[in-house]
Amino acid sequence: LAKTTQPISMDSYEGQEVNITCSHNNIATNDYITWYQQFPSQGPRFIIQGYKTKVTNEVASLFIPADRKSSTLSLPRVSLSDTAVYYCLVGPDPSSNTGKLIFGQGTTLQVKP
Amino acid sequence: GAVVSQHPSWVICKSGTSVKIECRSLDFQATTMFWYRQFPKQSLMLMATSNEGSKATYEQGVEKDKFLINHASLTLSTLTVTSAHPEDSSFYICSARPPSQGHNEQFFGPGTRLTVL
């Protein structure tokens, strides 16, 4: 499973757009990129997943350049409740593998009023 | 989305005792579930893969005789921490992925906080 590198922490203010970039230089051809969010003392929650280009859902957008060696999670207009740890994971097609996830260090996002 | 529950949500026990944690998939069947451990301010560490009807697969460095996993049905996996010691105090989280198409994400339980005195 490809290793990922993220900033350890980020600060933002309410209403701003937050972009968290993840590096995954050794991503394999069949790897997908998935982001999870975790609040203190809770299990992680799926945010978004993509393979290439751009993916958008009601919560976030995921931008993946052509070489797929990095990805950026974009959170529009964050609020205080978006303060959490965000994990970037890279692994084989989730619909075909065993579902094993290896978590990196994650990015602690602190949203300030 | 799919729901995974854990019981208990927290437990305090004395050193040397055993503690059982349950992980249930409430609205789907899961042939595979996963157990993670998380220490304060650290990331999740995969402990083992729980397979329904067969032995669990443990990650390197995880003692299989200390962390007993039983996946007796398609909706229940249990993790038993045997002869618990203070260093086993941690946040234990399970996860599962619905087998049907369209569910590429894993669903995590709320976690169980174990404190060993």
Side-chain angles (χ1 to χ4, degrees):
Chain A
L1 296 172
K3 181 180 178 180
T4 60
T5 303
Q6 307 173 229
I8 294 177
S9 64
M10 294 182 67
D11 289 340
S12 182
Y13 291 92
E14 283 190 290
Q16 289 187 333
E17 177 185 78
V18 171
N19 296 307
I20 306 175
T21 297
C22 178
S23 296
H24 27 80
N25 292 318
N26 297 322
I27 190 169
T29 302
N30 61 342
D31 282 345
Y32 279 67
I33 300 156
T34 311
W35 287 79
Y36 283 83
Q37 174 193 56
Q38 185 184 28
F39 297 112
S41 296
Q42 294 186 28
R45 185 183 70 165
F46 172 89
I47 300 176
I48 198 166
Q49 183 182 83
Y51 183 81
K52 61 180 179 180
T53 63
K54 176 183 176 182
V55 179
T56 298
N57 61 22
E58 64 277 7
V59 177
S61 294
L62 178 59
F63 298 92
I64 305 169
D67 65 4
R68 302 199 329 122
K69 293 183 182 299
S70 68
S71 59
T72 299
L73 174 70
S74 180
L75 304 172
R77 299 183 60 79
V78 295
S79 63
L80 296 176
S81 62
D82 292 317
T83 294
V85 179
Y86 293 82
Y87 293 98
C88 164
L89 290 88
V90 175
D93 180 0
S95 65
S96 63
N97 79 336
T98 61
K100 184 174 176 176
L101 297 178
I102 304 298
F103 284 78
Q105 63 180 12
T107 297
T108 299
L109 172 65
Q110 179 71 50
V111 179
K112 303 175 182 179
Chain B
V3 180
V4 175
S5 70
Q6 285 184 238
H7 178 79
S9 55
W10 59 270
V11 57
I12 301 173
C13 69
K14 294 182 179 180
S15 184
T17 61
S18 294
V19 174
K20 180 184 287 188
I21 302 170
E22 294 184 347
C23 176
R24 293 183 184 272
S25 53
L26 298 185
D27 49 4
F28 66 95
Q29 294 183 332
T31 57
T32 304
M33 292 184 176
F34 303 89
W35 286 97
Y36 297 82
R37 180 168 56 179
Q38 186 174 34
F39 293 109
K41 298 190 183 301
Q42 293 187 23
S43 183
L44 285 79
M45 184 193 79
L46 178 64
M47 299 176 66
T49 302
S50 175
N51 304 299
E52 190 269 334
S54 65
K55 292 183 179 180
T57 304
Y58 290 82
E59 295 298 305
Q60 189 173 10
V62 177
E63 301 175 57
K64 61 180 65 177
D65 294 330
K66 181 171 184 61
F67 299 99
L68 301 179
I69 292 173
N70 185 0
H71 196 150
S73 78
L74 289 172
T75 59
L76 173 64
S77 174
T78 61
L79 168 69
T80 300
V81 182
T82 63
S83 186
H85 292 295
E87 57 266 29
D88 298 322
S89 298
S90 188
F91 192 51
Y92 292 86
I93 309 170
C94 69
S95 73
R97 179 173 61 86
S100 59
Q101 290 185 351
H103 289 277
N104 288 334
E105 69 267 32
Q106 282 199 22
F107 293 89
F108 287 79
T112 297
R113 176 76 59 191
L114 170 62
T115 302
V116 185
L117 303 177

